């Protein structure tokens, strides 16, 4: 699924189960030594996906992928990347810093958000958009897709700025016809030289999931299209 919405500069790997061969480095194991079993499986499979994606990018020797501030993955210095996991899906995407400034991916089940969550994460205009789209195309859970898109924006933003970004800081607009979305950082958000005020991403549904992705060009800071 990911390869369909990411540009060719990105190497990705996804799995719909927890691979039996997935293991952790001792340094990674230490990060989840007190975690419940579900968290351990998600983390272990996510790191497995990360190593597979890095191998596709040319890193032939497996290495640990640790955690930084706010739980962000710590990649090799020459790499930008993102990891996502939800029920029945784990994935990672990586790219060379020389080619892409940042990458953000997120996957969610194609199911309604729990009661009250849409109102907590969506701006008024987004709530109206979501309700209209749910009427026009109910096979896509646009509320969950909105949540996923905002997660992808944050995962793209944070590695470059090292600043938090709240749900109400970006206004998203979906194009239901071509699988794209646009996002505009609102005026109250402090500018960052290496992050544009407007970015674009792509989305896809399938296998009971909604998946979103953003890739920022290293040269211009603009979004890179997958070419579809």
């Amino acid at each position: 699924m990911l390869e369909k919405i990411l540009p060719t500069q990105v190497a990705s790997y996804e799995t719909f189960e927890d691979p039996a061969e997935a293991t952790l480095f001792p340094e990674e194991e230490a990060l989840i030594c007190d975690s419940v079993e579900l968290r351990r499986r998600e983390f272990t499979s996510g790191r497995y996906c990360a190593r597979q994606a890095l191998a596709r990018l040319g890193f032939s020797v497996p290495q640990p992928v640790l955690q930084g501030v706010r739980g962000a993955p710590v990649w090799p210095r020459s790499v930008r990347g993102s990891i996502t996991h939800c029920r029945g899906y784990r994935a990672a995407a990586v790219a060379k810093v020389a080619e892409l400034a940042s990458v953000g991916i997120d996957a969610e089940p194609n199911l309604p958000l729990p009661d009250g969550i849409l109102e907590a994460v969506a701006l008024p205009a987004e709530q109206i958009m979501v309700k209209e789209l749910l009427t026009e195309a109910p096979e896509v859970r646009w509320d969950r897709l909105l949540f996923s898109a905002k997660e992808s924006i944050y995962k793209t933003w944070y590695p470059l700025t090292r600043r938090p970004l709240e749900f109400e800081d970006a206004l998203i607009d979906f194009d239901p016809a071509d699988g794209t979305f646009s996002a505009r950082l609102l005026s109250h958000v402090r500018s960052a030289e290496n992050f544009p005020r407007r970015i674009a991403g792509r989305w896809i549904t399938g296998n009971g999931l909604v998946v979103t992705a953003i890739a920022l060009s290293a040269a211009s800071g603009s979004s890179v299209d997958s070419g579809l």
Side-chain angles (χ1 to χ4, degrees), residues 129-143:
M129 174 189 65
V130 163
K131 290 173 183 176
E132 291 176 347
L133 288 171
L134 284 172
T135 299
E136 297 169 6
E139 69 277 7
V140 177
R141 286 307 312 190
W142 298 95
D143 50 344

Side-chain angles (χ1 to χ4, degrees), residues 2 12 27 29 40 53 64 74 78 91-92 96 119 124 147 204 213 222:
L2 266 181
S12 63
E27 305 97 306
E29 180 70 39
R40 292 182 61 84
V74 178
S78 61
K96 294 180 179 179
E119 292 73 17
F147 181 89
I204 193 171
S222 60

Side-chain angles (χ1 to χ4, degrees), residues 47 50 65-75 81-83 159 162:
R47 263 46 190 183
V65 179
L66 303 180
Q67 280 185 173
V69 179
R70 295 177 171 261
V74 178
W75 302 101
S82 183
I83 299 173
R162 298 297 172 181

Side-chain angles (χ1 to χ4, degrees), residues 23 32 38-39 47 52 130 139 156 173 175 185 195 203:
T23 59
I32 56 164
L38 175 59
R39 170 60 179 156
R47 263 46 190 183
Q52 297 300 313
V130 163
E139 69 277 7
T156 310
D173 184 47
D175 188 326
L185 298 183
F195 201 92
W203 61 269

Side-chain angles (χ1 to χ4, degrees), residues 5-9 178 180 200-202 215 222-228:
I5 57 173
L6 285 168
T8 56
Q9 300 97 314
D178 67 359
T180 63
R202 299 192 67 87
S222 60
S223 303
V224 179
D225 197 285
S226 67
L228 297 183

Side-chain angles (χ1 to χ4, degrees), residues 50-71:
R51 279 186 269 282
Q52 297 300 313
L54 285 168
R56 292 180 174 182
L57 197 65
F59 289 79
S60 58
V61 179
Q63 55 189 285
V65 179
L66 303 180
Q67 280 185 173
V69 179
R70 295 177 171 261

